[in-house]
Amino acid sequence: MLYYLFRYLSEFGIPGSHMWSYISFRAILTLVLSLIISAWFGEWFIKWMKARNLSEEQRDASIDPYGVEKKGVPSMGGIIIIVATVIPALLFGRLRNIYMLIMLGTTLWLGMLGFIDDYTKMTKGKDGIRPLYKLVGQAVLGLVVGLVLWLSPDAVVHENVTTERQNGKEVVIHTSEPVKSTVTTIPFVKNNNLRYSDAFLWLGEYRRAAGWILFVLVTTFVVMAVSNGANLNDGMDGMCAGNSAIMCFALGILAYVSSHINLAAYLNIMFVPGSEELVVFLMAFVGALIGFLWYNAYPAQVFMGDTGSLAIGGIIAVTAIIIHKELLLPLICFVFLAESVSVILQTNYAKYGNKRGLKLRFFKRAPLHDTFRVKPGQLPSDFRVLLNWPKGCWLESKITTRFWIVTIMMCALAIVTLKIR
């Protein structure tokens, strides 16, 4: 809203009003404001939740050896993140921008879905809403985002179609007119574009429509996968919030270069006009996550719950899809992917053992982060663990910090792939 106010004031020559046209200026403002809101609102929210005895139940000591210390800690802290993200985005973002509207809708929809789940857990003593309902909610969001990107005339790109040599240097020439495109970026490949419609060349004139249908399905899958990956990663103090802040900062860099025609040409990637508003939104989100860490770092004073984790995964997934970098998500969200794969391996290996009357486990415990805090002798003696590592129990703060380090390395690699081909 303030963007439009100061753009109007710039017509009268008001000093400083032109600064609001710079993405860097608005992005920094959103980062600072969201951090302040998150830190201030977080303190009030924790007191409010404790006064009403709305807190997490004591965690199972067989899973979390530090669970006794976390008795009475309020949950639903994702509300802090959402409030601290949405307010700065509304103030400093361009609300007529299709991508800003998509991100706000994603945040509120998945935040509401997670809130219903958390509220059910705390007030009705249940395990929350059925997993199927959460999957349906995520799938609906994925379908809506995919269809909006397909049908909206504002969601367009300038493809990097040719490379010419000018003054001894290779220069990427983008399409002069914006086009609707299902092209995405493939990492580590020189001519790194993949068009979904190319998988349907045999359909002739219908291949374009088939390509868009595949794009919508891929969008739905990515939203569900990343959102659930973030949910699984949310199991230790500061774990999901710290990892997500790093991931979103990396995506902010990718969004910025995608929105800058000269940088897009230099890096030989698609130019996505309007995606600069993603930078504003993501910096608000990063600031909110960092402010949340003030209370969520070990020992946590508040847990984000599904209210935060589902929204986090959706924001990361939708951002990558908008800038056509969804194939970089296995690198950027490597930790989320590892958590999801660990659960799949653990579940299927246990089923394999059950059919043979054996108690088999692939890891000591899943999701992956839980396997690092299993104390010696904590598992039943009749369990056969395929990957019995590490031998000891790591401190929770050490596990969290090391997962952050892995995320930093993988996000750096994802950004470097724009040059390594």
Side-chain angles (χ1 to χ4, degrees):
M1 290 181 280
L2 291 178
Y3 167 80
Y4 297 104
L5 171 63
F6 282 95
R7 191 178 68 172
Y8 173 75
L9 293 176
S10 66
E11 297 177 2
F12 300 95
I14 304 298
S17 57
H18 69 283
M19 293 290 292
W20 291 79
S21 63
Y22 293 104
I23 288 298
S24 55
F25 178 73
R26 289 193 287 132
I28 292 172
L29 282 182
T30 54
L31 177 67
V32 173
L33 180 59
S34 62
L35 202 158
I36 293 172
I37 293 175
S38 184
W40 170 80
F41 178 65
E43 183 177 3
W44 178 88
F45 180 81
I46 292 170
K47 291 179 180 178
W48 190 88
M49 293 287 284
K50 285 186 174 180
R52 287 153 181 79
N53 200 29
L54 296 173
S55 60
E56 179 105 346
E57 294 183 3
Q58 182 174 329
R59 297 188 177 183
D60 186 353
S62 65
I63 297 176
D64 185 356
Y66 308 102
V68 177
E69 304 171 16
K70 301 175 184 179
K71 184 178 181 180
V73 175
S75 188
M76 290 199 294
I79 294 174
I80 301 171
I81 300 171
I82 292 172
V83 169
T85 300
V86 171
I87 292 176
L90 291 174
L91 287 174
F92 301 135
R94 291 171 51 201
L95 302 183
R96 296 176 185 173
N97 180 278
I98 184 63
Y99 303 132
M100 177 62 76
L101 294 176
I102 289 175
M103 298 310 298
L104 290 170
T106 296
T107 305
L108 295 174
W109 175 260
L110 289 181
M112 180 187 68
L113 184 67
F115 173 82
I116 295 172
D117 186 58
D118 289 334
Y119 186 79
T120 304
K121 290 177 184 176
M122 288 194 298
T123 60
K124 299 185 178 181
K126 298 180 179 180
D127 294 330
I129 60 177
R130 294 176 60 186
L132 177 62
Y133 295 160
K134 286 195 283 188
L135 290 174
V136 170
Q138 294 164 344
V140 168
L141 174 69
L143 287 171
V144 170
V145 170
L147 290 171
V148 169
L149 294 176
W150 177 6
L151 302 174
S152 173
D154 296 325
V156 293
V157 303
H158 293 258
E159 295 182 9
N160 46 328
V161 291
T162 60
T163 302
E164 297 180 359
R165 296 192 67 84
Q166 297 179 3
N167 300 324
K169 297 181 179 180
E170 287 191 350
V171 179
V172 176
I173 307 300
H174 289 89
T175 52
S176 58
E177 295 295 329
V179 295
K180 304 290 295 183
S181 177
T182 59
V183 171
T184 190
T185 299
I186 309 175
F188 302 112
V189 178
K190 186 174 179 60
N191 296 316
N192 60 335
N193 285 345
L194 170 68
R195 194 183 304 273
Y196 288 116
S197 58
D198 287 348
F200 302 99
L201 294 176
W202 50 277
L203 287 177
E205 61 179 312
Y206 300 107
R207 69 178 183 274
R208 179 176 173 81
W212 276 107
I213 292 172
L214 177 60
F215 171 81
V216 173
L217 295 176
V218 169
T219 299
T220 304
F221 171 78
V222 170
V223 169
M224 295 173 67
V226 180
S227 186
N228 283 300
N231 190 235
L232 291 172
N233 187 236
D234 179 33
M236 288 187 180
D237 299 349
M239 173 72 80
C240 187
N243 284 321
S244 302
I246 298 165
M247 295 172 190
C248 288
F249 188 80
L251 284 170
I253 294 174
L254 294 175
Y256 181 76
V257 299
S258 297
S259 68
H260 195 293
I261 191 167
N262 293 326
L263 291 175
Y266 173 72
L267 294 170
N268 191 15
I269 60 176
M270 285 162 284
F271 168 51
V272 186
S275 60
E276 64 274 4
E277 292 305 309
L278 293 177
V279 181
V280 176
F281 182 89
L282 289 173
M283 290 306 101
F285 193 53
V286 169
L289 289 168
I290 294 173
F292 179 74
L293 275 173
W294 184 269
Y295 303 104
N296 185 241
Y298 181 85
Q301 297 171 258
V302 64
F303 300 135
M304 71 168 61
D306 284 8
T307 307
S309 61
L310 293 182
I312 283 172
I315 288 169
I316 292 172
V318 173
T319 299
I321 290 164
I322 288 174
I323 60 176
H324 299 263
K325 299 292 181 291
E326 60 269 26
L327 296 185
L328 286 178
L329 284 177
L331 294 176
I332 296 173
C333 300
F334 178 80
V335 166
F336 292 173
L337 176 63
E339 298 273 36
S340 299
V341 170
S342 70
V343 171
I344 294 171
L345 290 175
Q346 188 84 326
T347 302
N348 286 280
Y349 196 59
K351 289 180 178 178
Y352 172 80
N354 291 338
K355 292 179 180 179
R356 288 157 180 77
L358 301 172
K359 294 185 178 180
L360 301 180
R361 296 295 183 271
F362 196 94
F363 302 97
K364 289 190 290 184
R365 203 177 299 283
L368 184 62
H369 63 262
D370 275 335
T371 198
F372 296 99
R373 59 180 177 185
V374 178
K375 292 182 177 180
Q378 192 173 6
L379 290 176
S381 58
D382 57 344
F383 273 30
R384 298 183 185 179
V385 181
L386 182 63
L387 189 61
N388 193 16
W389 182 86
K391 297 297 182 182
C393 176
W394 294 0
L395 291 174
E396 184 167 315
S397 55
K398 177 174 284 189
I399 300 171
T400 299
T401 303
R402 288 181 174 176
F403 270 60
W404 290 356
I405 292 171
V406 171
T407 299
I408 291 172
M409 291 191 298
M410 299 307 293
C411 286
L413 178 60
I415 294 171
V416 170
T417 59
L418 299 181
K419 293 298 292 180
I420 299 179
R421 298 173 189 169

